[in-house]
Amino acid sequence: MGHTEAKADGESQSESESQSESESQGKSQSESKSKGRRRRRIRRITLAVLLVLLLPLLTAETALRVNYMGDPADGTYTRNRDAIWLGHAWVDGRKDDADLTAFARRVKSTGIRDLYVHTGPMEHDGTLPKSLYPKARWLIDTVHRDLPGVRVQAFLGDVLATEGPDGMRLADAGTRAAVVGSARQVLDAGYDGVHLDLEPLHSGDRDYLSLLDDVREVTRARDAQLSVAAHQIDPLPALHSVFGFFTEHPKWWSQEYFGQVARRVDQIAVMSYDTAQPLEGTYGGYVAQQTSLALEVTPPTTHLLMGLPFYHESNFDHWGHAETVAAAVRGVRLGLSRTDADRELFGVAPYIDFAATEKNWDEYREGWVRQEP
């Protein structure tokens, strides 16, 4: 091969390599552009999903904040029909006369007329060991003497086997009969009523309704009270069904089921705390909404109470800086004002005495009792 042919071959090979390199660069640029488009598409989809998820939440939170605005109607204060949940120490021997004297002095000038005294827990089979409340008679007699007109109800609770293998099973007729027997047992001990707190209780549970019918036969025969601690009501329609599908913990009751429970009891107390609300304004708006929803389906012959958080925690379910007694009381008054301002059988129920602070009591007195501490 001569020098001219070698040069031509070299030039041809150089052109081929250059073309190959150019094609490679083009392919790389194309792939880079394609990856960029994919990344942008993923970002857009992610943003869209976040908006779909967050927009309803932000809308709901805004609605709750708006619900907290305005002024409560005049006269929406205590009707002197409030209640309070008390711990087990009042009946197991840890409290004495001095404790009761101090407690009586605290509540005399409030609207508290019912004491839900923890007397259980019941066994999973529905029975109640008498050894759990050796000082019940002392408490009942002393309250009747020192706080005339105040009733002492036996707070009976247990965990239900609705979301785990252990707990009380209301579907068992024998268990329900045993709970009725426990109700009869505490009335025999002198209590003025029975207060049931069975959790987690799913919306629509017919066995619970059957149990209430049976217990009420016993309380009516004794001219005693039947009261219950109630779950919150769906803040959005059917939310308990949606929540239950994703978490297996429905949390809320439908408004219809709440009404079915309310018609079977003398008193129904909404556990209007542990709401996961992050701000005082949204928590107060939530309580206002819960108050209205409960009033709409509670017959005027049933005594409705809204719970107050007399304790402080800081976790996802209960933000202490948001769930204040002041916000709850204002929310209760707003809901009452908008729905049934003249409801006679209505009150609030602080939970619970042993965790209460002076600030809790002060905010209850100032906002609801309208009395300076």
Side-chain angles (χ1 to χ4, degrees), residues 96-328:
D96 58 21
D97 289 331
D99 295 312
L100 193 48
T101 297
F103 177 75
R105 187 183 305 116
R106 182 186 288 279
V107 303
K108 269 183 180 177
S109 57
T110 70
I112 293 173
R113 296 296 179 270
D114 281 281
L115 311 180
Y116 301 146
V117 185
H118 191 268
T119 307
M122 291 179 286
E123 300 292 323
H124 291 341
D125 64 2
T127 58
L128 178 68
K130 291 184 179 180
S131 59
L132 290 177
Y133 51 98
K135 292 194 68 175
R137 189 79 252 182
W138 160 79
L139 175 69
I140 296 164
D141 290 344
T142 308
V143 167
H144 287 170
R145 184 193 69 203
D146 295 348
L147 292 168
V150 173
R151 293 177 294 207
V152 183
Q153 300 192 41
F155 169 8
L156 304 179
D158 193 24
V159 175
L160 297 179
T162 50
E163 298 174 8
D166 300 321
M168 182 182 289
R169 300 181 184 276
L170 293 181
D172 186 274
T175 298
R176 296 199 304 275
V179 173
V180 175
S182 294
R184 188 178 291 110
Q185 179 180 314
V186 294
L187 294 179
D188 288 342
Y191 282 96
D192 301 304
V194 178
H195 179 78
L196 295 177
D197 180 16
L198 302 175
E199 304 178 48
L201 182 63
H202 292 179
S203 184
D205 191 318
R206 304 299 304 179
D207 295 314
Y208 181 62
L209 299 181
S210 177
L211 173 65
L212 294 179
D213 290 336
D214 294 341
V215 174
R216 198 170 194 191
E217 284 187 17
V218 174
T219 55
R220 276 182 168 173
R222 307 289 189 91
D223 194 26
Q225 295 289 297
L226 172 58
S227 58
V228 295
H231 288 250
Q232 297 157 28
I233 302 172
D234 280 332
L236 297 172
L239 186 59
H240 72 277
S241 297
V242 176
F243 209 74
F245 178 80
F246 287 105
T247 67
E248 297 183 357
H249 175 54
K251 183 178 174 67
W252 298 278
W253 286 353
S254 71
Q255 191 181 34
E256 178 185 10
Y257 187 67
F258 186 97
Q260 291 173 345
V261 173
R263 289 192 293 274
R264 286 171 164 81
V265 298
D266 299 297
Q267 299 179 336
I268 185 166
V270 185
M271 296 180 284
S272 42
Y273 34 76
D274 294 345
T275 65
Q277 289 302 317
L279 303 171
E280 253 191 316
T282 58
Y283 171 63
Y286 183 89
V287 173
Q289 182 198 45
Q290 288 291 309
T291 303
S292 292
L293 291 171
L295 282 167
E296 288 171 0
V297 292
T298 300
T301 52
T302 298
H303 182 179
L304 173 64
L305 299 116
M306 302 303 297
L308 303 181
F310 265 39
Y311 63 99
H312 185 94
E313 292 179 355
S314 287
N315 53 50
F316 180 78
D317 290 327
H318 182 105
W319 298 107
H321 65 273
E323 294 199 16
T324 65
V325 174

Side-chain angles (χ1 to χ4, degrees), residues 77-84 86 102-115 147-150 308 310 347-350 358 360-373:
Y77 308 121
T78 185
R79 276 85 165 120
N80 293 316
R81 296 181 181 275
D82 302 333
I84 186 171
L86 300 181
F103 177 75
R105 187 183 305 116
R106 182 186 288 279
V107 303
K108 269 183 180 177
S109 57
T110 70
I112 293 173
R113 296 296 179 270
D114 281 281
L115 311 180
L147 292 168
V150 173
L308 303 181
F310 265 39
V348 298
E358 287 302 321
N360 294 152
W361 282 104
D362 289 349
E363 289 180 349
Y364 161 66
R365 288 176 179 276
E366 293 169 11
W368 182 246
V369 184
R370 307 303 288 178
Q371 180 186 75
E372 293 297 324

